[in-house]
Amino acid sequence: MRRLELLSLDFLSMSMRSNVTLFFGIILSLIESLNSNIVQISMLVATAPIIWGMTSLIMPRLMSKYSVYQIVSAGAWILAVSAALRLTGEIFTLFFFTLTLNIGIGILNIAIPAWVKQIAPNATEVLLSRHYKIMLLASGCSIIMSVVMLETGSDWKWAFAPWLVISLLGAGLLTFVPNELITRSSKIIETTSNSSGNRTGLIIFILFFGIQGISSQAFGAWAPTLIIDYGFTTLTSAIVCAILATMGAFLASKLLSQQLSQAKLQMYLKVASVLLVLGFLQLFSEQLPIFSLGLLLIFCSQSIIFLISLISIARWSNDVNQVLRVSLTVQGFGYVIAGFGPICVGLIRQSQGSWEACIFFMIICTLAQFVFGRKTLKVSH
């Protein structure tokens, strides 16, 4: 992989999550500023993964006309231009171009595993791990920065500005990719399989990706608020979430960046699932050390499980075309399922007035994703 492409991937990794997760640190402020309630804001937060999934509707047309490189470039520019335009107006403009920004992210979500496999076939898992690590690091920084800006009295809209620059850099660098790479990155060939076993495997994979996403999207969105309810300040809760998310990403990257056997991935999935359930149970504790350890286990375990799902997409086939189609199917349907996570937790939190039922809901999701995850790892290779 050339240095230019690696640098572009790094900037894209930073912009793909930072542009949306900065909402998470200011959920309570959004509720107050927009005269809204928990359920409505839950639906707003949930639009990101739902749009990522719905992007799969336009991907077949892109795949029939353009190369992997061109698809990545299109997603990057949609993301960058939207990030710029949403700063030009007030609330409506901000949220409209956040919607189009998420279309760009959805395209990149689907295309990047195949792009990485194409340009670095011998280092796919290393680069996917690096990609995920940088995404989570940027996400943590975006949460902290958005809260700091609120604490200093700045307009929360301008917390988006630093990530605009990074988005433009990521897209801009792609214009300098050598022509021979663009030429070699051929159009995606339409391929289908009549194997019922393969279709069943994909359905199981979709359920694994979607159910683990329900839990992780819900917890990621509402963790700062949960920590605030425990007694932390808004800024402290944002810092805690950012640090723990970054630690989880670095740990997952360290463990999974090598060419591990399927048996080893199954072991990591099993251990991470057990620790995730344990972490959720520790949130019931009124003792700060136990509560904090629970948070650490959740962030680390969810990072490992998500990265396993991402690696499984790249491992599905040695054919880049097939990897892109599997990524389209799994992430397309999977993110739509995942988008219901914040909504469900918001509804439960609103109706129950406490976090207990929300935590049990996420434990049930963890058990389900473990079952489907084990079956997925037996199918992918």
Side-chain angles (χ1 to χ4, degrees):
M1 189 177 192
R2 294 180 177 88
R3 185 174 299 177
L4 178 64
E5 299 156 63
L6 181 59
L7 186 60
S8 177
L9 178 62
D10 288 345
F11 279 118
L12 291 179
S13 302
M14 283 187 269
S15 60
M16 283 173 64
R17 291 295 181 269
S18 57
N19 275 293
V20 290
T21 53
L22 54 84
F23 276 116
F24 297 169
I26 55 176
I27 281 181
L28 295 180
S29 296
L30 286 175
I31 292 173
E32 181 179 347
S33 300
L34 302 178
N35 296 317
S36 187
N37 59 47
I38 289 176
V39 174
Q40 292 170 330
I41 295 300
S42 295
M43 296 179 69
L44 172 64
V45 172
T47 57
I50 290 176
I51 292 170
W52 299 344
M54 296 299 290
T55 303
S56 62
L57 296 175
I58 65 172
M59 283 297 288
R61 186 172 182 83
L62 294 177
M63 290 161 57
S64 67
K65 292 179 176 293
Y66 304 105
S67 68
V68 177
Y69 163 79
Q70 290 170 322
I71 292 172
V72 170
S73 185
W77 277 111
I78 292 172
L79 166 57
V81 172
S82 298
L85 291 177
R86 68 180 181 176
L87 291 176
T88 61
E90 296 303 322
I91 296 296
F92 174 79
T93 303
L94 181 64
F95 288 118
F96 176 79
F97 286 110
T98 296
L99 182 151
T100 60
L101 179 146
N102 278 306
I103 294 175
I105 293 175
I107 293 173
L108 291 172
N109 279 338
I110 293 169
I112 279 180
W115 186 48
V116 169
K117 192 174 186 71
Q118 182 180 66
I119 58 183
N122 297 323
T124 301
E125 293 175 14
V126 173
L127 291 180
L128 285 178
S129 297
R130 177 189 176 107
H131 166 63
Y132 181 64
K133 178 170 60 178
I134 293 174
M135 277 201 303
L136 267 290
L137 178 61
S139 296
C141 292
S142 70
I143 293 172
I144 293 175
M145 289 174 62
S146 63
V147 174
V148 168
M149 293 199 71
L150 283 178
E151 295 285 327
T152 58
S154 302
D155 186 341
W156 57 267
K157 181 174 68 174
W158 291 105
F160 293 83
W163 310 105
L164 159 64
V165 177
I166 291 173
S167 302
L168 288 170
L169 285 171
L173 287 173
L174 288 173
T175 63
F176 297 101
V177 171
N179 288 330
E180 61 266 25
L181 177 66
I182 301 173
T183 303
R184 179 165 56 87
S185 178
S186 59
K187 295 176 184 177
I188 307 304
I189 301 171
E190 182 74 20
T191 58
T192 58
S193 172
N194 294 321
S195 168
S196 60
N198 192 42
R199 289 198 300 271
T200 302
L202 278 176
I203 292 172
I204 291 171
F205 198 170
I206 290 167
L207 291 172
F208 168 45
F209 192 93
I211 295 172
Q212 65 83 26
I214 288 177
S215 175
S216 61
Q217 292 290 330
F219 188 76
W222 288 108
T225 309
L226 185 151
I227 297 171
I228 290 171
D229 286 356
Y230 193 86
F232 287 69
T233 65
T234 302
L235 179 59
T236 303
S237 71
I239 292 173
V240 168
C241 288
I243 291 174
L244 293 181
T246 303
M247 289 176 62
F250 273 75
L251 175 62
S253 177
K254 179 69 175 178
L255 292 175
L256 303 174
S257 61
Q258 304 173 30
Q259 189 73 26
L260 300 175
S261 66
Q262 290 298 99
K264 206 66 173 290
L265 285 181
Q266 288 183 18
M267 182 196 73
Y268 281 132
L269 176 66
K270 181 177 181 179
V271 172
S273 298
V274 170
L275 292 178
L276 184 53
V277 172
L278 181 60
F280 281 129
L281 291 174
Q282 288 179 308
L283 297 183
F284 290 112
S285 176
E286 295 182 357
Q287 299 181 32
L288 181 59
I290 297 176
F291 178 83
S292 301
L293 178 60
L295 290 174
L296 176 62
L297 291 177
I298 293 169
F299 276 102
C300 290
S301 299
Q302 288 185 333
S303 293
I304 292 170
I305 293 168
F306 176 80
L307 191 50
I308 287 174
S309 70
L310 201 61
I311 288 172
S312 296
I313 292 174
R315 281 192 179 187
W316 192 268
S317 173
N318 291 323
D319 177 22
V320 173
N321 292 342
Q322 189 64 25
V323 169
L324 185 55
R325 296 199 64 79
V326 169
S327 184
L328 164 65
T329 303
V330 171
Q331 296 200 64
F333 287 104
Y335 272 122
V336 171
I337 295 172
F340 287 97
I343 296 175
C344 290
V345 169
L347 287 169
I348 295 170
R349 178 70 174 80
Q350 181 84 354
S351 63
Q352 299 295 316
S354 66
W355 292 106
E356 283 78 4
C358 300
I359 294 170
F360 280 121
F361 169 76
M362 288 185 278
I363 289 174
I364 293 171
C365 290
T366 301
L367 298 175
Q369 61 85 18
F370 171 67
V371 172
F372 290 114
R374 287 196 65 185
K375 293 182 178 180
T376 296
L377 291 176
K378 292 179 180 179
V379 177
S380 62
H381 54 83

